[in-house]
Each structure stands twice: as C-alpha cells, then as structure tokens.
Amino acid sequence: MNKKISSITLLLALITGGLVLLGYKFREEGMFPLSEIHKIDLKKAGLKIEPNEVYNPNGISLVDALVNVGGCTGSFVSDEGLIITNHHCAFSAVQLASTPENDYLNNGFVAKSREQEIEAKGLTCRITESYEDVSDKILGSVANIDNPATRLQMINNMMKNIAKEAEQKDPSIKAEVSEMFIGKTYVLFRYKTIEDVRLVYVPNRQIGEFGGETDNWVWPRHTGDYSFMRAYVGKDGKPAKYSKDNVPFKPKKSLQVNANGTNEEDFVFILGYPGRTFRHRPAQFIDYQAKYVLPYTSDLFDFQNATMEAVGKKDKATEIKLATRIKRNANVMKNYRGKLAGIKGIDLVAQKQQEDAALAEFINGNVEVKAQYGSLMADIDQLYNLINSDANRDLWFSQIYNSTSLVNVARNINIFKNALNQQPVAQKQSFFDNNIAKLKQTLDNIYNAYHIDVDRRIFKRMLMDAVSFTPNQRVTAVDKIVNRGSNNEAMIDSYINDTFGLTKLKDQSYVFNTLLRSMKSISDYNDGLLLLETDIARQIAELKPEKDRRDGVLNKLMGDYVNVKEKFLNKGFIPDANSTLRLTYGYVRGYSPADATYMSPYTTIKGILEKGATGNPDFYYPNIIKELWNKKDFGPFAKKDLNDVPVAFLYNMDTTGGNSGSPIMNANGELIGVNFDRAYGATINDYAWNESYSRSIGVDIRYVLWAASKIDKADFLLKEMGVKL
C-alpha cells in the first residue's frame, strides 16, 4: 500500500513538474470571501490590475459593480443602472409579465426606450455595502451555555439583534449576519436594496434557453443565457418601490465590456454570490445526502414536472403559468442526479471516511486534543444515526407545502387566523387591517403557479409516499385518512375527491373577495384542507423541540469539527459558500471528462446549426441565426482562429448555484462573459472540487453582443455599454 502511494506521489510530482514547464497554471480551490482575498497572490496567477482595484474597502473597486438579483448575481454595465445577468435569472419576472397576447417568455423582449421597460415583478437588487466580523460577540454570549438547543437559539437571536442594531444605526441599509463556518465564524453584512427593477432586453427563448433540459448541466453548450435589466430609485437617489417617476440608479462602479473576449488559458475571475457548499462536513453528511436528500428530491421533482408538463399541454395560459416552476424543478432535479453520480463516481463517502479516520487517529494520539475533542467523531456518528432514523418523514414535511399549492394556501390562512385569534379583542381589527394585504400578496404568489389538476395529482403522490413510511415515521394527518378503510389508495382517492370538490380555496376570486373580506368571514370559514394542514402543523410543532436539539448539537459539533481539522492539517480553510460576496479565479480551459475524450473550451454558432439538424425541439433556433451564419455576418465579434462567433466557453473556476449571472472578467477586470452553469461532472462542486472535473460554463460576451446587434437590433444597448461597432 505504501509503495503504491509513493509511486502515485512520484507520478504526480513528475506530471506537475512537466505541466509547469509547459506553462500550465494551477489554481487554488475556493470561493474567497472579501476578507480572504488578500491571502491570494492574484498577480502571480495572472491579474494585470492591482488587487485593490478588485476590492478596496476604503475606495471604489470592481466589487461595487456587483448586485444580487433574485438569488442570482448581476453586474452594472453602464452608469445608468443597466445590469447584465442570466436569462434564467429573469425567467420568473418575464413569465409574470407575459400573456398569450404578449408572450415575452417565448418571443423575447426589447425595450427601445426607458418608457417601454417593464417592471420585473418579484425581483430586487441587493448591493453589498460593507462587512464586519462579529464572531467574538456572538460566541462570547454562549460561552457558558451547555444546552445545545438553547445555545443555538441564543446564537440565532444574537445574529438577529446585531443585524437589527445595524439597521437602526443606518436605516438606509438592510443588515444580515451570515454564518461563515457553522458554529464558528459569523460576519455582519450591510446591504443596500433596490426595489424597482425593470426588464430591458430578454432574448428569444430559443436563444436564451437553447438546448433546454437536454443540454442543462452539459458541455458542449450553446445557450445564450443572458438578459438585461435596469435598477431604478426615487428622484432623491434612495431606494423606492416601482413608480413611473423613479430614475435610473447611478452605481458607484460599472464594468467595462471587452468585445474581444478571451483565448484559451487566459486568466479570468468571477465576483458573485455563490449559494451553499458543504465541503467541510464529515462522511455522515455526504452519506445522508446520497441516501435520502438527493434521490428523494430528484424523484419527486421528476414526478411533479411530468405532471405539470402534461397539464400544461391543455392551453397556452396554463403552460406559461407553470413554466417557472417546471424550469426550477428541472434544474434542481438534474443537478441532484449529477451530484449523486459524482458522489458514486469518485466514491466521495469512502474518501470522507478515510479523512475522518485519519482525523480520529490524530485526536486520539494527542493528549491535549483528545481531552477537548475525544468524543467528537462518536458524537457526530450518533447524531446522524438519529437524523437518518426519521429522514423520510423529515423530507416529506420539507416538501408538502411546496408540492401542493392549496395546502400551502391553507397553511398561510391558518397562520393568519391563529395570529388573529391571539390578539386582544380591542386589537383584532387593527391586526387584520395591517396584515391582510401581506397575506393576499403571499397567496397571490402561490396562485400564480397553481392549477387544480396538478395539485390533485401531486397531492396524491405525497399522501401515498407518507403511507409507506415505517412505524416510527408516521404522518398523523395521513393516517387519519387511510385508517378509515382497508385500501389505502382508495381512501386517499376518496379523500382528495371530497376535499378538493368542497374546498373554496381552489377559487382565488372567492378567497380574495369573500373569505378574506373581513375578520368574521375568515374566522368563520373552515374546510377539510384547513383541518388537514392544522394536523400537519401540529405534528411539525410537536417534533420541533427534538429537531431544535439536534440542530443545536450539530452546530456545536461542526464548529468543533472544523477547529480540530485545522489543527490536524495545520492550516485554515476558506469558508463554505453562503450567498455572500466571493471571488474565484482560474483559466479558460478544456478538460477530459472520460477516457479518450477531450472537450475544447469554446463552442460556436456552427454548433447551434448542427444541434438544430437533429430535430430535437430543445434545439430549435430562430431562422435568422442560420441566415446570418451562412452570410458569415459576424460583425466584429468573430474569434479569428475559429472563424465564427464563440457562443459559450469553459473555465476551471470554483462556482456553484448563486453564481448564475456572475460577471466573468479578464486580467484587466473587463467583462468578457456571464457565468451560467457547470459541466455535469462539476455538479458535485457543492461537496468537492477538483481541477480534473470541475468546469464552469459562461456565455461569451461576443455572442451576447452579436445577438443583441444582429438579431434583436439593440445597438442602443451596445452604445450605452461603450461598445464600438
């Protein structure tokens, strides 16, 4: 075994040395927080501008051009608040703006003037203003607390209080304390939130979503996944809700667009808001994901999408109504199945088990460390045995409200009714008046993606799943239904027919105009769905103390796990991603995902035509693309060595969900693309990153500019961005 390891080490050393001689540049794993950027030698990696031009806490830098928009990343590309992000990041807002008569979702949209720009409903922009480490303040407050649930509750309360204090000191910002390392490190972020965001330019869906689910998480890719929005503020320059009187936001910084793009092995970097990663977790966590979370969620979403797609064929309005939910489900489903394949492909659980075994050996071999962490690994194992014991029911509870719209409607009405009933008699009317609009807005968002046939079918699936759970994982509300007879499915079918037939919740007009008309009308109303939801909520509440205890134990254990691992490896770690602003860097580079296979780092318009010839509907494209390509009408946007316009490109940067829409910048800090996806093998990035298989995908700025100019006649946008034709 040792000889084998030595041989591998020698081989790697020889390969590494050879690659260095060939000019092959290595990069570090990590999505670096702003506080950690100074630890990277970006100049050595290839950055040509000064690092403080990327991030400067005492001045203006590229970071000031970044925004978080709708859970994605975007960047300002003009001093008039123009934002570039992904097509899929604008998708929900485009859906809400679309009708069968004005089908922007499929046909695209170009606002030729400011007056034509459309409100991007549901989207806001969040800009990072500053950050501050508050770990000592938070952990100091719980230093003498032994009860895990109490400790975690106190941490959460302290996080909220610190954020509240920051907002009181500066009412113009929104504050949030983020947990950088679970149970270990906490940072206060101050954000400016812009509430008025408008759609400016969204390409035809056959461009913005070219390849559909066939190509999702796949390379080669030819998707024009881009869109443009604009941020607006009040005339006083302060954030304000949508109004025709608002004016374009003036950002501190906007990115310069470089229409020349990149070449292979060019240095590139990304600033963005990556979602969640879990690389500093033990083997038991990965095993839990692989056995429960990933297969359950992907299979459920597969069923939901098959149901919605079948129902959506009935009419155009229903298809548009369900489009965003289908798209989100499909993205998660393919991602989760990619993660499952990745975990198995690199045997990640076994790798983590080996790492943890080495860590346990270190703990037991050091008297001082053992005194502090001696039971750590056994405690982690014991906790996950408990978590696994009722994982099926826990996951069911986590999905029941999102899966069935009317159960979610019932939940929100029950919450409102319960809160109303708890008010003193003299304050009931005031509570109703002050909160009914918010309830209606919440319900309206649910009804926007609701269809009764979809609900009935998915609801049956959820109930049938619950029936199959082991005795220690029973769902009380479902048992009440099936205990009435001997045939579970027959009892469930009968219940759904009766309940959905009688409930008034299926009629949004009745709910808004009658049920929610007054305190009396909402208090008097009851039906089977409200009663079912009451039983579900009651059981969740009964289980909550134990869940809180487990979460508290996990919080402490994971903090200890990272602490002792840092001692063992004698180095610090970059915190897992958590939707806070990060930097990652790398190089434009292809890769070999399988034996005898090499993936080049660029795709071109030619590939769009080749895929279109297969007859797959996901590969349909606007005819003008072929016409322009045949004429070689590329304008100034062709890549000379390809004699074509590059559509998408690969790079070895460390990205995850939330990096969608992130600006890809060159060594001079200029925009040369927009990040939108990862190769299928890189879906495992949330758990592990490796140079050999981790590749991210961006839309090349040359394709964005070519399509905007040649297809959608949006030269006015190129002019606004300073691009010369």
Side-chain angles (χ1 to χ4, degrees), residues 55 57 64 127-131 170 172-174 189-193 249 252 273:
Y55 172 60
D64 294 303
I127 303 168
T128 301
E129 295 277 280
S130 64
Y131 70 90
D170 183 357
S172 70
I173 59 102
K174 293 290 184 183
F189 289 89
R190 299 177 182 88
Y191 300 103
K192 175 182 287 185
T193 301
F249 173 68
K252 294 179 185 177
Y273 292 88

Side-chain angles (χ1 to χ4, degrees), residues 28-309:
E28 300 172 78
E29 170 190 356
M31 304 172 193
F32 298 89
L34 299 182
S35 58
E36 305 296 311
I37 291 176
H38 68 281
K39 296 180 180 179
I40 323 165
D41 192 343
L42 289 173
K43 298 285 281 188
K44 183 178 179 181
L47 184 71
K48 292 180 180 177
I49 59 176
E50 292 303 314
N52 67 0
E53 293 181 64
V54 177
Y55 172 60
N56 183 355
N58 301 312
I60 296 173
S61 57
L62 294 175
V63 161
D64 294 303
L66 271 289
V67 296
N68 183 312
V69 54
C72 294
T73 302
S75 55
F76 290 114
V77 287
S78 85
D79 59 5
E80 290 291 307
L82 187 66
I83 297 167
I84 188 170
T85 186
N86 288 149
H87 178 273
H88 74 259
C89 297
F91 194 88
S92 62
V94 179
Q95 179 218 323
L96 291 173
S98 296
T99 64
E101 296 74 32
N102 294 305
D103 189 1
Y104 304 129
L105 192 66
N106 288 300
N107 300 330
F109 169 78
V110 183
K112 300 291 186 181
S113 67
R114 301 282 168 82
E115 291 73 26
Q116 292 179 354
E117 294 174 1
I118 298 173
E119 180 184 5
K121 293 181 179 178
L123 296 184
T124 60
C125 287
R126 193 168 77 165
I127 303 168
T128 301
E129 295 277 280
S130 64
Y131 70 90
E132 175 187 347
D133 192 310
V134 292
S135 303
D136 290 344
K137 185 181 293 186
I138 289 175
L139 295 177
S141 70
V142 297
N144 299 317
I145 306 300
D146 294 324
N147 182 282
T150 302
R151 181 180 183 276
L152 182 57
Q153 185 62 52
M154 288 181 66
I155 287 174
N156 290 336
N157 289 341
M158 181 64 77
M159 291 168 70
K160 292 175 184 175
N161 290 338
I162 290 173
K164 186 177 180 180
E165 287 174 10
E167 291 175 357
Q168 289 172 344
K169 288 180 181 177
D170 183 357
S172 70
I173 59 102
K174 293 290 184 183
E176 186 176 291
V177 176
S178 296
E179 188 174 54
M180 308 303 284
F181 277 118
I182 182 171
K184 184 176 185 289
T185 312
Y186 300 84
V187 174
L188 168 66
F189 289 89
R190 299 177 182 88
Y191 300 103
K192 175 182 287 185
T193 301
I194 296 175
E195 300 177 85
D196 185 353
V197 183
R198 305 183 194 181
L199 300 172
V200 177
Y201 167 37
V202 180
N204 184 295
R205 192 171 180 179
Q206 290 181 345
I207 293 175
E209 203 180 323
F210 180 85
E213 284 313 306
T214 302
D215 269 5
N216 195 14
W217 302 104
V218 168
W219 183 265
R221 197 69 173 275
H222 299 82
T223 311
D225 199 346
Y226 67 89
S227 66
F228 289 85
M229 307 176 190
R230 196 181 304 278
Y232 281 79
V233 291
K235 290 182 178 179
D236 59 0
K238 296 179 180 178
K241 292 189 180 300
Y242 175 83
S243 169
K244 291 183 179 179
D245 296 328
N246 287 346
V247 297
F249 173 68
K250 303 285 187 182
K252 294 179 185 177
K253 179 77 175 177
S254 60
L255 300 183
Q256 180 67 44
V257 175
N258 187 325
N260 296 319
T262 60
N263 291 303
E264 191 167 357
E265 287 302 315
D266 276 0
F267 171 86
V268 285
F269 69 99
I270 277 175
L271 290 166
Y273 292 88
R276 298 289 301 179
T277 57
F278 307 93
R279 296 178 191 169
H280 304 305
R281 299 294 181 97
Q284 293 90 337
F285 172 82
I286 303 298
D287 192 50
Y288 169 74
Q289 295 287 309
K291 285 182 178 176
Y292 300 103
V293 177
L294 301 177
Y296 173 80
T297 307
S298 55
D299 288 350
L300 177 60
F301 282 14
D302 196 354
F303 176 84
Q304 290 180 1
N305 275 14
T307 301
M308 289 187 285
E309 286 165 359

Side-chain angles (χ1 to χ4, degrees), residues 284 375-389 546 549-550 553 557:
Q284 293 90 337
S375 65
L376 175 64
M377 306 310 287
D379 290 344
I380 290 173
D381 198 51
Q382 183 181 25
L383 176 63
Y384 272 97
N385 285 337
L386 277 175
I387 291 172
N388 293 344
S389 70
E546 171 59 13
R549 188 195 70 80
R550 293 180 189 179
V553 172
L557 291 177

